[in-house]
Amino acid sequence: MAHLGTGRGRVLALPAGLALTASLGLMPAAAAAAPQQQEAAAVATVRTDGPKLSYVVNVAGSGSSATAKAVKKAISRAGGEIVTSYDKIGVIVVHSTNPDFGTTIRTVRGVKSAGATRTAPLAAATTTDVRAAEQPLTAKEARAAAAKAEDDQDPFEPLQWDLPAIKADKAHEKTLGSKKVTVAVIDTGVDDTHPDLAPNFDTAASANCVSGKADTTPGSWRPAAGESDHGTHVAGTIAAAKNGVGVTGVAPGVKVSGIKVSTPDGFFYTEAVVCGFMWAAERGVEITNNSYYVDPWQFTCKNDLDQGALVEALQRATRYAWNKGTVNVAAAGNSRTDLAADEITDTTSPNDTTPVERKVDPSVCPDIPTMLDGVITVSATGAKGLKSSYSNYGLGVIDIAAPGGDSTAYQPPQAPAVNGLILSTTVNGGYNYKAGTSMASPHVAGVAALIKSTHPNASANQVERLLTSQAESTACPEPYDINGDGTVDAVCTGDEDDNSFYGAGIINALRAVRK
């Protein structure tokens, strides 16, 4: 269970990342700081000949105003420019061209940890959809679906096998969800001009957090031309309006907002994600969806000086949001990896410069934010209800499962649906199919929104308990041979009520709307 903690995500579209640290290996925590007596000497001479990098500086302890003030002064003396400060969690976002900034600031009294959020210079995302599986909705499919749609269905709803798979169609007969509930899509941006999203879009809870500081300029939360439609697809799965147009969301009566956190190149850096969680929490957003992992490390190691600071900053943000009542839902990832394994080989990190091969222990080097406290971790299933071929898994890591789609050859849907992927909204008013744990997570976010609609006073812990207790218990498949070639593709462990493939089970929207 994620009880404040087992999430994993990053636009699960495929890993890309490296982190800008002097040691691409793991530096022992003991080497973290020089004696504090050296602080004055360390800041005496400030270099400015390095690449401009972004850092997070985590204030020690409760982050008292006096301590934070002293740390901010030290940041300036060390050649850092403060972008913004999240004083409620003691996280400061800094830019610096001093190549010694990280080493220097870690010696300052009142600093718990500090690290570069990237290995590439500023102004250089990755998602959890399976990009190779993306397919457009054809005109022929659209016409055929519309002809089969019943009176109470949107035109393309017959193609959405995922809704009856979680009994969302039956739930809609009872309620579409409350307009008082907002789900924030922390992602690549949301095209709120889409006719299926515009009726439910919450501009007041939307922002652009790419720099680490929220920008509320109207439309700043939208993907620019040529940028990924990932966030727009996720938003449609959650809350596409039931309005006689296109598709239907899991919770078509709730609000959805966009918090853009990916750079134009598609990187999700720590400062942007911290901003996303804090923005949502401070505005009373009930649910966040997180279908990505934080770049540049697919697994971010707590025992590395730079990487450890990133984990610390994000953990503070997710816990703060959770304790404020915000339910954070995240995608588990698309690497077919057992996240509970003793050791994992990571060949993709850091993904913003030059990856190196390394062996990591995921209990020390978690996939963030999905493996953090204050996050519900979601694996993906296909149209036959089996774990999707690409989905990560792990006993004690996966909290719950939901439709994310799979190859139609592996898990074909029942007619009238024709495609094993997930159909949802795309930019410029269109629709397309995608697959990934990125697509599974918003199904859970939508059901969580239905729970909040039914139980408006429920805390984040109570919503999580309802999600998992209402899930459809799903036993391990024996054996799991997804492509039918006679070879076991993954080993599921655990029992029917809690296992490595499905966690507590597959979500059930109908149970969520029953008092």
Side-chain angles (χ1 to χ4, degrees), residues 451-463:
I451 290 174
K452 279 294 288 187
S453 299
T454 308
H455 304 279
N457 297 319
S459 67
N461 284 331
Q462 289 170 330
V463 172

Side-chain angles (χ1 to χ4, degrees), residues 257-279:
S257 73
I259 303 178
K260 186 176 182 179
V261 297
S262 72
T263 69
D265 292 331
F267 289 95
F268 292 69
Y269 287 118
T270 296
E271 64 271 32
V273 177
V274 167
C275 172
F277 283 118
M278 295 302 290
W279 174 264

Side-chain angles (χ1 to χ4, degrees), residues 45-86:
T45 303
V46 175
R47 295 172 56 191
T48 59
D49 58 345
K52 188 175 184 179
L53 295 174
S54 181
Y55 297 81
V56 288
V57 178
N58 301 312
V59 179
S62 59
S64 71
S65 58
T67 302
K69 186 176 181 180
V71 169
K72 289 174 185 177
K73 287 181 178 179
I75 287 170
S76 296
R77 292 197 303 271
E81 174 191 353
I82 295 175
V83 176
T84 192
S85 179
Y86 295 99

Side-chain angles (χ1 to χ4, degrees), residues 63-393:
S64 71
S65 58
T67 302
K69 186 176 181 180
V71 169
K72 289 174 185 177
K73 287 181 178 179
I75 287 170
S76 296
R77 292 197 303 271
E81 174 191 353
I82 295 175
V83 176
T84 192
S85 179
Y86 295 99
D87 293 338
K88 291 183 179 178
I89 59 170
V91 175
I92 305 170
V93 179
V94 179
H95 291 170
S96 182
T97 55
N98 177 6
D100 300 321
F101 178 80
T103 302
T104 301
I105 204 65
R106 283 191 284 263
T107 69
V108 170
R109 184 177 286 103
V111 172
K112 179 175 182 181
S113 60
T117 66
R118 59 194 73 202
T119 59
L122 279 161
T126 306
T127 59
T128 53
D129 61 316
V130 180
R131 290 183 179 175
E134 182 177 307
Q135 298 169 12
L137 174 65
T138 67
K140 181 178 179 181
E141 288 173 347
R143 286 194 298 270
K148 294 174 183 175
E150 298 178 3
D151 291 343
D152 61 343
Q153 290 184 314
D154 282 339
F156 304 154
E157 194 173 338
L159 300 174
Q160 294 182 268
W161 59 265
D162 48 311
L163 296 184
I166 61 171
K167 297 182 173 61
D169 54 338
K170 299 299 183 184
H172 296 165
E173 295 174 6
K174 294 182 173 294
T175 179
L176 302 181
S178 170
K179 295 292 184 189
K180 295 180 180 180
V181 173
T182 294
V183 181
V185 176
I186 300 178
D187 212 296
T188 62
V190 174
D191 181 2
D192 56 302
T193 68
H194 194 291
D196 249 341
L197 298 177
N200 290 339
F201 198 76
D202 186 347
T203 57
S206 298
N208 184 319
C209 273
V210 175
S211 71
K213 182 179 182 179
D215 172 10
T216 58
T217 303
S220 63
W221 49 77
R222 296 174 192 147
E227 292 183 346
S228 173
D229 69 340
H230 185 271
T232 303
H233 194 280
V234 166
T237 296
I238 295 167
K242 199 168 184 65
N243 57 354
V245 175
V247 297
T248 300
V250 173
V254 307
K255 293 287 188 180
V256 65
S257 73
I259 303 178
K260 186 176 182 179
V261 297
S262 72
T263 69
D265 292 331
F267 289 95
F268 292 69
Y269 287 118
T270 296
E271 64 271 32
V273 177
V274 167
C275 172
F277 283 118
M278 295 302 290
W279 174 264
E282 292 296 88
R283 269 135 204 90
V285 167
E286 286 79 9
I287 321 287
T288 68
N289 185 83
N290 304 272
S291 292
Y292 56 89
Y293 74 78
V294 177
D295 295 296
W297 307 94
Q298 185 173 13
F299 298 94
T300 309
C301 295
K302 292 181 281 189
N303 58 352
D304 176 273
L305 296 182
D306 282 295
Q307 296 172 48
L310 312 187
V311 177
E312 172 74 20
L314 282 159
Q315 183 62 91
R316 292 184 183 192
T318 58
R319 281 178 174 157
Y320 178 82
W322 189 273
N323 290 330
K324 289 275 286 186
T326 301
V327 177
N328 303 310
V329 182
N334 302 334
S335 305
R336 302 177 175 84
T337 298
D338 182 354
L339 300 179
D342 293 332
E343 185 177 85
I344 295 172
T345 300
D346 176 16
T347 61
T348 66
S349 304
N351 64 0
D352 60 351
T353 49
T354 305
V356 294
E357 181 172 323
R358 57 186 186 149
K359 303 288 187 181
V360 300
D361 175 351
S363 68
V364 176
C365 303
D367 182 344
I368 56 177
T370 193
M371 291 180 76
L372 296 176
D373 288 343
V375 180
I376 296 171
T377 305
V378 184
S379 63
T381 57
K384 295 298 184 184
L386 293 171
K387 182 188 84 69
S388 299
S389 55
Y390 54 79
S391 181
N392 287 348
Y393 56 101

